[in-house]
Amino acid sequence: MQETFISLSLALIVGLLMSRIAKKMNLPAVTAYLVAGLLIGPYCLGRLGVSGLGFNTMEQVEALSIFSQAAMGFIAFTIGNEFRLSQLKTMGKQAVIIGIAQAAFTTVVVDIVLIGVHFIFPDLLSISAAITLGAIASATAPAATLMVVKQYKAHGPLTKLLMMVVAIDDAVGLVLFAVSFGVASALEKGSVSVTGMVIEPLIEIFLSLALGAVMGFVLNFVERFFHSRSKRMSVSVAFVLLTVGLSFIKFEIAGVHCGMSLLLVCMMAGTIFCNVCETSEELMNRVDTWTVPLTIFFFVLSGSELNLTILSNPIILLIGAIYIIARSVGKYTGAFGSCMVTKCNKSITKNLGITLLPQAGVALGMSLTAASLEGGDIIRNVILFSVLVYELVGPALTKNALTHAGEIKPEGKVSARSKNEPKPSFHLH
């Protein structure tokens, strides 16, 4: 117990100290938190085995996963706030088309490239692993993107579209992975499961959205019984935690085993709540303030999970580099093309693809599911390598893209402006 509290405090302190260094280097804070986690993780300082000096083993990191799950719930809940009806009317159609198109195109590009690698070097990569990696490539990390947007107060059409596309990406990635994983399993076993490829992911999406919608309406109902801002915020926090907990429930429907997506459940809850509650925007801001330490700890923990030992494996480095290049090309080209089809402005068309590069938790979860395949270890290690690269580089690329689009103002100007602005006052109706 003592070691846990010391590790928790160390994670927050080191993360905050690293953010000061990152600011001088003009890097996003999320990158600093990830590097901080890497430093105090079991593959760096933790290897010294000094009790309380970081995380000595992966078991210690995994034991604190409850904090990561809670943080992902609040992050997803906040992203749901981007799906307000006013925004959906103006950008909803574009977001859906781009979200589906760029994810599917990325999967196709990575599939083609990695299947080509299989035929050239059949001993390095199985065809089932190549197909599965293609599907995992579609997934984008919402947490890092949201963190950059919040830190720099990014605002504009690109930012609004980005947040909606990132949210849609999770559902699309879920379906693509289920289909690809089903095909890969069929190639190895010689039998095709329509249930696993189509029915299970569709039921998972439906149940996730249904539970999220119910929780959003119930939260709005319960909020009406409280009038003070602190109590209303506390109710919001309690309901997000409750929603996270309920998302882990497993079902069996007509012999089909189904679960739910934590991200989809909490996103839907946030979407419903922000559209039915008149004071949702003020409450969302207060909840965001409350969860800042939790979010920092989430990224430090994520950094601690990055496995540096894979850098010594030349096969993983080779396949990982090919995967990263193919995925980056797929994401950028897919976003660019779908933006042109939906007639987005030039700024969005040029920069959206770059902001979709970060990859983390969702991809790691998919790679764990794929462990049962032939070459499952290759899949896991390639994704670990790509997450290491994307998480450290992706936030900075996202920041640069939003800056080029004119939706992040230079920090000096922002701070100068903020000094002259009166403090905001909130009014509850």
Side-chain angles (χ1 to χ4, degrees):
M1 183 67 72
Q2 178 184 359
E3 292 179 6
T4 301
F5 280 108
I6 293 174
S7 296
L8 286 172
S9 61
L10 182 66
L12 288 173
I13 292 170
V14 175
L16 290 169
L17 290 175
M18 286 298 298
S19 70
R20 300 303 302 170
I21 298 174
K23 186 173 183 180
K24 293 183 180 298
M25 298 173 66
N26 205 26
L27 291 172
V30 62
T31 302
Y33 303 144
L34 290 164
V35 172
L38 199 61
L39 290 175
I40 65 174
Y43 301 104
C44 199
L45 286 178
R47 298 194 70 174
L48 298 175
V50 180
S51 179
L53 184 62
F55 304 107
N56 302 136
T57 64
M58 277 303 296
E59 286 71 22
Q60 289 182 358
V61 178
E62 292 168 359
L64 298 171
S65 62
I66 185 174
F67 292 97
S68 297
Q69 301 292 354
M72 282 303 299
F74 283 103
I75 288 167
F77 187 73
T78 302
I79 291 176
N81 190 42
E82 300 300 321
F83 286 88
R84 292 182 178 272
L85 289 177
S86 58
Q87 294 183 14
L88 289 174
K89 290 178 182 178
T90 57
M91 307 184 83
K93 184 178 179 181
Q94 286 179 321
V96 171
I97 293 174
I98 295 170
I100 295 173
Q102 58 82 25
F105 186 78
T106 301
T107 295
V108 171
V109 170
V110 177
D111 275 344
I112 292 172
V113 172
L114 293 185
I115 289 174
V117 172
H118 163 73
F119 284 115
I120 297 172
F121 306 106
D123 294 334
L124 294 184
L125 187 69
S126 67
I127 193 166
S128 59
I131 293 172
T132 306
L133 282 169
I136 297 176
S138 65
T140 300
T145 303
L146 180 63
M147 193 74 174
V148 172
V149 169
K150 283 185 176 181
Q151 179 186 353
Y152 296 102
K153 298 179 176 61
H155 180 73
L158 173 58
T159 302
K160 292 178 181 177
L161 181 62
L162 168 62
M163 298 310 297
M164 286 192 278
V165 169
V166 166
I168 293 168
D169 193 86
D170 184 52
V172 177
L174 183 65
V175 174
L176 289 172
F177 176 74
V179 173
S180 296
F181 182 66
V183 171
S185 299
L187 289 172
E188 292 187 358
K189 299 175 183 178
S191 60
V192 178
S193 173
V194 177
T195 299
M197 289 173 57
V198 181
I199 298 177
E200 285 185 12
L202 290 179
I203 292 177
E204 180 174 338
I205 291 172
F206 174 77
L207 290 176
S208 300
L209 296 180
L211 175 61
V214 170
M215 294 305 293
F217 281 116
V218 174
L219 173 57
N220 178 57
F221 176 76
V222 175
E223 288 277 6
R224 297 177 182 178
F225 292 96
F226 301 92
H227 302 290
S228 74
R229 293 170 180 171
S230 60
K231 289 181 179 178
R232 287 168 68 87
M233 182 195 72
S234 299
V235 170
S236 300
V237 170
F239 260 80
V240 174
L241 293 175
L242 176 60
T243 304
V244 171
L246 293 176
S247 70
F248 289 103
I249 296 176
K250 304 293 182 182
F251 295 90
E252 184 175 346
I253 302 174
V256 178
H257 296 279
C258 304
M260 288 181 284
S261 166
L262 182 154
L263 287 174
L264 286 181
V265 173
C266 293
M267 282 179 194
M268 190 61 177
T271 298
I272 295 298
F273 179 67
C274 77
N275 281 290
V276 298
C277 179
E278 293 181 358
T279 58
S280 63
E281 195 162 354
E282 185 265 346
L283 284 170
M284 286 283 191
N285 291 333
R286 294 180 70 82
V287 169
D288 283 347
T289 303
W290 183 88
T291 58
V292 168
L294 183 63
T295 305
I296 294 173
F297 188 64
F298 165 75
F299 284 108
V300 174
L301 267 185
S302 298
S304 299
E305 293 174 341
L306 298 178
N307 189 345
L308 294 178
T309 60
I310 59 174
L311 298 178
S312 62
N313 189 328
I315 295 176
I316 297 301
L317 294 180
L318 174 62
I319 299 176
I322 294 172
Y323 169 86
I324 289 171
I325 294 171
R327 180 180 180 271
S328 300
V329 170
K331 280 288 180 183
Y332 184 82
T333 308
F336 189 93
S338 54
C339 282
M340 290 189 67
V341 170
T342 55
K343 299 180 180 179
C344 294
N345 63 49
K346 291 183 179 179
S347 178
I348 292 177
T349 302
K350 290 180 179 179
N351 294 293
L352 180 63
I354 298 173
T355 64
L356 296 174
L357 293 181
Q359 187 173 48
V362 177
L364 289 173
M366 291 177 176
S367 69
L368 281 175
T369 303
S372 60
L373 292 173
E374 177 189 349
D377 289 340
I378 292 288
I379 295 173
R380 176 69 174 169
N381 287 327
V382 167
I383 296 303
L384 281 171
F385 175 65
S386 71
V387 167
L388 175 64
V389 174
Y390 278 126
E391 283 294 85
L392 295 178
V393 177
L397 293 176
T398 299
K399 177 202 169 186
N400 289 338
L402 292 173
T403 301
H404 290 155
E407 299 189 10
I408 290 180
K409 296 183 179 180
E411 290 185 80
K413 292 183 179 180
V414 173
S415 60
R417 183 189 66 182
S418 61
K419 289 179 181 178
N420 298 323
E421 286 182 349
K423 293 183 178 180
S425 58
F426 299 108
H427 302 282
L428 295 176
H429 300 288

